[in-house]
Amino acid sequence: MLSLILLCSALPGAQAQTIRGRLLQERTQRPIAQAEILLADGSEKRVWSDSTGHYVMTVSEPGRYRLLIKAEGYHLQLVDNVLVTTGKETIADATLAESTQQLGEVSVKASRPSTAIADGYVSVSGHTFDLEQTTRFAGSRNDPSRMAMNFAGVVGNNDTRNDIIIRGNAPNGLLWRVEGVDVPNPNHFGAMGATGGPVPMLNSQTLKTSSFLTGAFPAAYGNALSGVFDLQLRNGNERKREHTFQIGFTGFEVGTEGPLSSKNKSSYLVHYRYSVLGLLSKLGLRFGTGSAAPQYQDLTFKLNFPTAKGNTLSIFGIGGTNRTVFDNTVSAYSDADSYNDYRTAMGVVGATYNTRLTGKTTLRLTSAFTGTKVFNRYDTLGRDENLHPNYRDRSHYTKATTHAQLTHRYSAQGSLLAGVIASNYWFSFHDSTQLASGMRALRNANALVQTYQAYTQWHYTPIDRLTVNVGLHATFLSLNREGVIEPRAGLTYQVTPKATLSAGIGNYSRWQDWMLYFNEPVGDRQPGRLPNQSLGFSKSRQAVLGWTQRVGNDWLLKAETYYQHLYDIPIDQNPSPYSALNEGASFFTTNRTGLINAGTGRNYGVELTAEKPLSNQYYLLSTLSVFDSQYRTLLNQWTPTAFANRFVWNALGGYEWTVGAHNTLAIDVRNTLAGGRRYTPIDLEESRKIGTTIVDDLRPYAAQLPIYSRADIKLTYRRNRPRATFEWSVDVQNVLNHQNAYQMQYSNQFNSLAYSLQMGRYFVVNQRIVF
């Protein structure tokens, strides 16, 4: 590695830096030709887009630039904060909005690469993020999920996992979508049915600007109650070969990209990553949780092939495997006198074809295979000093899916979005637990299930100041032959040039975690009986109202308030405190049976955001969320959910200095205060009698851990050499070493209640070379 650094540092010859991108019309994604792109710094530097919407601009120095884009019939578009470095061409794609006024270019709008938000289909509670935000924010660990925890409405007070808890909803209410395909949990060491994990499988180096939705999302998304993470993979550089080497907290990583053919602008992008701790353990150096070292690896790729008449074919894939063995260790994951071998894997591979059927109609067709599996062996040490089986799990499922999406632009004011998603699942769930009579199956099923989804959304802009979105989403599940139809609507109205009113309302649903349908009653004399298969969809109604105010040229103030009514939630048919709204609070899906769709819940709150994007060398972001989350079962009493933290406040900021002619030094800070995790009170007297933790089930989640507090600080130094960029960063997380509680439990050693603690101060060091 040292020789590679010295070699790259010595590479001779200076060269101009390149900004390139593609201009597309929002909604239809039609390329925009003959648009003028110029530097918004008073210089006369300008270029024009070609017939495919591509443009290339050269600048003499690395640094940050502003681009102004002009095209007849479209709003003037401003692309701000374009970071140019050496060794790698900078991508600045943009989506242009048509002007409905005859005077044409009458206003300047900030532009983003194409996302559901930029295309105008999201009216409220939408956020966009890009690679630089994911890598810049202190405490994010190059993880899109942890970066998203800085947005209003999102709680992230668990140092060990990146589960996304939105507005008091369970984390399994989140939908992950990659390249138009709904995918399983894209995190290493994630449990079956979960949506988070300790380490991301997604590689931030391969992502382009994507969408994160926290409520009242449009009709194109289904099977979600809380939010949507809609990710897009970027194309490789079709002009030159570029390479990346990185080593840090997320692993040892190597990436390459470049042209496949100079004639048709086809390209490839490949990134591979292996865990640093796993690599060190193979060399005999042991780190990690206890004596265990987490071993994981993942691969992300995308091949892009432009075809005739402006059509494109892309082939993509994401996959990873992982394993951790806890051997008689004490940690947040495993008990003493135990052995736990835990492995998971996830993968998706697919192809997307984009074609223009007519000048106003485009078709996007995606077909993909996805799969996920888990292996879990958990043994306990008996009095005979031998390990005995306690739990076994060998479960997996695969899915073949096709997503066809049609967009028709019938005027500058309106367009129609419609699509269908058909999926076929193959399930194999086999897990068992130790009972007094021996090992007993919890799930022992092989099954074939189909799901069908269809949606349509009408987008209408009668005047530049008003946009209306109205749509329907329908879902059918073959397992229980149940279907739902969900109407949704949203609008945005520009009250003044700097003030915007937004609103969204709609119905939403989600089928249950797949494993829940195949639970067998423990102790049942009829193996194979599956009473949960009659469960219907969990449902909700949401309403969101928002106000956005621009102050000056840089500041953005935003306020949203919301109410969510949840119903048809699985609960016990006999009065008990159990509700599926609390699933996701632990690592495993419940093995309960005989559930019915009779539970309800409610989430409501207010969110405030103050943001200054990076300009004049600094940025600031502050978000405050105050909320409540409650549920009700047949006990007929409103009870806090496991995710009723009540509040979360994030404050972030950063400053960037120029060092020498071409180098930069940056400091980023982050502070988080949040309500503590909720837990069910512990019956101390009973715990002392039994010698283990006994909870008071009559008061579910009535207690709360102390306030979570954490401060992070990150230092980054970027050195721009003539043909390569070197970047070093040190992220000191929990810099004040605050002792945050992880859970409350009974300590047999001290014969009293005690907190187990989350991570103290720790350092995340990262080095990246791009050439």
Side-chain angles (χ1 to χ4, degrees):
M1 178 62 71
L2 178 60
S3 60
L4 175 64
I5 295 173
L6 295 175
L7 174 63
C8 294
S9 299
L11 289 173
Q15 60 180 21
Q17 314 310 315
T18 300
I19 303 173
R20 63 182 178 89
R22 194 180 189 199
L23 308 181
L24 300 173
Q25 192 267 333
E26 72 171 17
R27 300 194 297 278
T28 65
Q29 302 302 292
R30 179 168 54 89
I32 300 174
Q34 295 303 308
E36 183 181 10
I37 303 98
L38 63 155
L39 292 179
D41 59 359
S43 68
E44 297 183 359
K45 183 74 174 182
R46 63 190 66 204
V47 296
W48 284 264
S49 60
D50 61 18
S51 60
T52 63
H54 290 89
Y55 73 91
V56 178
M57 174 182 286
T58 58
V59 294
S60 59
E61 302 287 347
R64 295 189 182 272
Y65 291 85
R66 279 183 146 191
L67 302 181
L68 191 63
I69 303 173
K70 298 180 180 180
E72 184 177 355
Y74 295 87
H75 289 282
L76 286 171
Q77 300 291 309
L78 180 65
V79 183
D80 205 357
N81 194 32
V82 178
L83 176 62
V84 176
T85 61
T86 58
K88 189 176 184 65
E89 294 186 338
T90 299
I91 303 173
D93 296 334
T95 298
L96 276 64
E98 289 184 279
S99 173
T100 60
Q101 300 185 10
Q102 294 184 354
L103 293 178
E105 305 154 3
V106 295
S107 62
V108 177
K109 293 190 174 184
S111 180
R112 293 276 191 176
S114 177
T115 63
I117 298 171
D119 292 345
Y121 295 114
V122 176
S123 300
V124 69
S125 298
H127 311 269
T128 57
F129 68 95
D130 53 31
L131 166 63
E132 193 185 1
Q133 287 174 297
T134 306
T135 56
R136 180 202 310 152
F137 287 168
S140 292
R141 306 184 200 170
N142 295 334
D143 181 356
S145 295
R146 287 184 168 89
M147 184 278 301
M149 293 175 187
N150 297 298
F151 294 135
V154 184
V155 176
N157 62 353
N158 187 340
D159 294 340
T160 62
R161 294 171 59 89
N162 63 2
D163 297 278
I164 298 176
I165 300 168
I166 301 174
R167 294 176 173 175
N169 285 280
N172 60 14
L174 177 73
L175 172 70
W176 283 101
R177 178 171 288 184
V178 177
E179 291 289 300
V181 177
D182 298 350
V183 299
N185 184 6
N187 290 281
H188 290 295
F189 306 105
M192 184 77 72
T195 57
V199 181
M201 195 175 296
L202 296 166
N203 192 314
S204 61
Q205 303 293 327
T206 64
L207 299 178
K208 68 178 183 180
T209 301
S210 301
S211 303
F212 178 57
L213 315 179
T214 56
F217 33 89
Y221 303 102
N223 191 39
L225 293 179
S226 63
V228 176
F229 230 133
D230 189 354
L231 302 170
Q232 301 292 323
L233 300 177
R234 64 181 181 86
N235 295 330
N237 192 332
E238 75 276 4
R239 289 169 27 91
K240 59 175 290 191
R241 301 193 190 284
E242 298 174 338
H243 314 285
T244 301
F245 289 93
Q246 179 169 289
I247 185 168
F249 174 83
T250 56
F252 175 81
E253 178 182 332
V254 58
T256 182
E257 59 184 284
L260 289 170
S261 171
S262 58
K263 295 182 180 180
N264 61 5
K265 296 184 178 180
S266 59
S267 64
Y268 69 90
L269 170 71
V270 182
H271 273 251
Y272 173 77
R273 177 172 50 188
Y274 194 90
S275 65
V276 170
L277 296 179
L279 182 61
L280 293 175
S281 70
K282 292 183 179 296
L283 299 176
L285 302 175
R286 295 290 180 177
F287 298 93
T289 307
S291 61
Q295 300 182 31
Y296 56 86
Q297 57 184 327
D298 50 65
L299 176 72
T300 302
F301 72 89
K302 185 176 183 181
L303 310 177
N304 189 59
F305 303 94
T307 60
K309 300 180 181 180
N311 304 328
T312 59
L313 171 67
S314 62
I315 302 172
F316 61 91
I318 298 175
T321 62
N322 51 79
R323 182 187 184 188
T324 300
V325 177
F326 299 98
D327 189 0
N328 196 29
T329 61
V330 179
S331 71
Y333 309 95
S334 183
D335 300 321
D337 299 330
S338 65
Y339 175 88
N340 190 195
D341 183 355
Y342 188 72
R343 316 175 202 178
T344 69
M346 191 283 289
V348 53
V349 60
T352 298
Y353 184 66
N354 288 284
T355 181
R356 282 185 288 167
L357 302 179
T358 69
K360 294 185 177 182
T361 306
T362 60
L363 174 66
R364 175 185 171 102
L365 182 64
T366 302
S367 293
F369 285 92
T370 65
T372 184
K373 68 177 182 179
V374 61
F375 170 87
N376 191 359
R377 172 190 171 185
Y378 184 72
D379 297 336
T380 55
L381 193 66
R383 294 181 179 179
D384 58 1
E385 299 298 322
N386 294 319
L387 289 171
H388 298 273
N390 186 278
Y391 179 75
R392 294 288 187 272
D393 190 2
R394 290 180 178 269
S395 298
H396 64 86
Y397 72 82
T398 56
K399 176 181 72 168
T401 187
T402 297
H403 184 180
Q405 185 178 81
L406 188 74
T407 304
H408 177 70
R409 171 185 169 274
Y410 51 84
S411 70
Q413 288 80 25
S415 64
L416 185 69
L417 179 72
V420 293
I421 306 173
S423 300
N424 199 87
Y425 292 83
W426 292 268
F427 294 113
S428 179
F429 294 137
H430 301 279
D431 67 333
S432 57
T433 190
Q434 179 68 45
L435 299 178
S437 58
M439 295 295 288
R440 175 66 170 86
L442 299 176
R443 304 169 187 90
N444 187 25
N446 295 297
L448 178 66
V449 176
Q450 294 80 38
T451 62
Y452 303 95
Q453 300 177 70
Y455 59 88
T456 182
Q457 180 157 326
W458 179 55
H459 176 99
Y460 184 53
T461 307
I463 58 175
D464 275 347
R465 296 168 59 187
L466 177 64
T467 298
V468 179
N469 285 295
V470 178
L472 288 173
H473 188 101
T475 304
F476 177 79
L477 176 62
S478 69
L479 184 67
N480 53 18
R481 305 191 64 80
E482 182 178 359
V484 290
I485 297 178
E486 303 156 5
R488 304 175 189 177
L491 66 85
T492 57
Y493 179 69
Q494 192 170 352
V495 181
T496 69
K498 291 190 175 184
T500 303
L501 176 70
S502 57
I505 192 170
N507 287 7
Y508 303 84
S509 67
R510 178 183 179 274
W511 56 70
Q512 309 304 326
D513 290 342
W514 289 118
M515 296 185 75
L516 189 65
Y517 289 112
F518 299 96
N519 288 351
E520 294 187 11
V522 176
D524 198 326
R525 297 183 178 180
Q526 303 176 24
R529 193 168 65 90
L530 306 174
N532 284 349
Q533 283 199 359
S534 60
L535 284 174
F537 292 82
S538 294
K539 302 172 185 175
S540 81
R541 299 186 182 97
Q542 298 184 29
V544 184
L545 182 66
W547 181 272
T548 302
Q549 180 73 50
R550 293 194 173 273
V551 178
N553 295 325
D554 295 323
W555 281 93
L556 181 71
L557 305 180
K558 185 177 181 179
E560 286 191 352
T561 184
Y562 62 89
Y563 184 86
Q564 180 183 20
H565 171 65
L566 299 116
Y567 60 104
D568 288 353
I569 306 301
I571 59 173
D572 281 328
Q573 56 186 318
N574 297 316
S576 85
Y578 173 80
S579 171
L581 291 180
N582 298 311
E583 289 294 328
S586 63
F587 289 97
F588 305 102
T589 300
T590 181
N591 61 352
R592 289 174 180 264
T593 57
L595 303 178
I596 58 175
N597 293 101
T600 59
R602 59 191 180 195
N603 301 317
Y604 52 91
V606 176
E607 301 166 359
L608 303 175
T609 299
E611 180 180 11
K612 177 194 176 296
L614 183 59
S615 63
N616 299 322
Q617 299 178 281
Y618 76 99
Y619 72 92
L620 294 168
L621 173 64
S622 179
T623 61
L624 174 64
S625 306
V626 180
F627 65 97
D628 200 4
S629 176
Q630 302 173 336
Y631 76 99
R632 184 170 60 180
T633 67
L634 294 180
L635 295 174
N636 202 30
Q637 61 183 15
W638 286 102
T639 305
T641 70
F643 311 104
N645 301 80
R646 302 294 173 87
F647 82 95
V648 57
W649 173 66
N650 293 297
L652 300 87
Y655 194 87
E656 191 174 86
W657 294 268
T658 299
V659 180
H662 308 304
N663 308 321
T664 57
L665 175 66
I667 181 171
D668 298 272
V669 296
R670 172 179 180 258
N671 188 76
T672 296
L673 289 176
R677 294 157 55 92
R678 300 203 73 92
Y679 68 96
T680 300
I682 297 172
D683 189 326
L684 182 57
E685 293 304 317
E686 287 298 316
S687 299
R688 286 172 173 168
K689 292 178 183 178
I690 305 298
T692 188
T693 301
I694 302 297
V695 299
D696 183 359
D697 286 328
L698 297 179
R699 296 191 296 147
Y701 304 106
Q704 192 170 10
L705 295 176
I707 290 176
Y708 176 93
S709 175
R710 182 175 129 180
D712 305 322
I713 184 169
K714 181 179 181 181
L715 296 174
T716 304
Y717 178 68
R718 185 183 302 115
R719 186 178 185 187
N720 290 293
R721 302 294 292 168
R723 299 175 64 88
T725 297
F726 300 83
E727 184 175 286
W728 297 267
S729 65
V730 179
D731 194 347
V732 187
Q733 303 194 0
N734 196 7
V735 64
L736 301 179
N737 200 30
H738 189 80
Q739 301 298 298
N740 289 304
Y742 177 74
Q743 63 182 3
M744 176 72 80
Q745 58 190 7
Y746 170 72
S747 171
N748 197 31
Q749 178 181 1
F750 298 104
N751 198 27
S752 64
L753 301 182
Y755 295 125
S756 62
L757 299 177
Q758 303 206 50
M759 293 183 180
R761 182 190 301 112
Y762 58 104
F763 297 80
V764 178
V765 181
N766 195 79
Q767 178 181 347
R768 185 163 65 109
I769 307 170
V770 180
F771 62 97

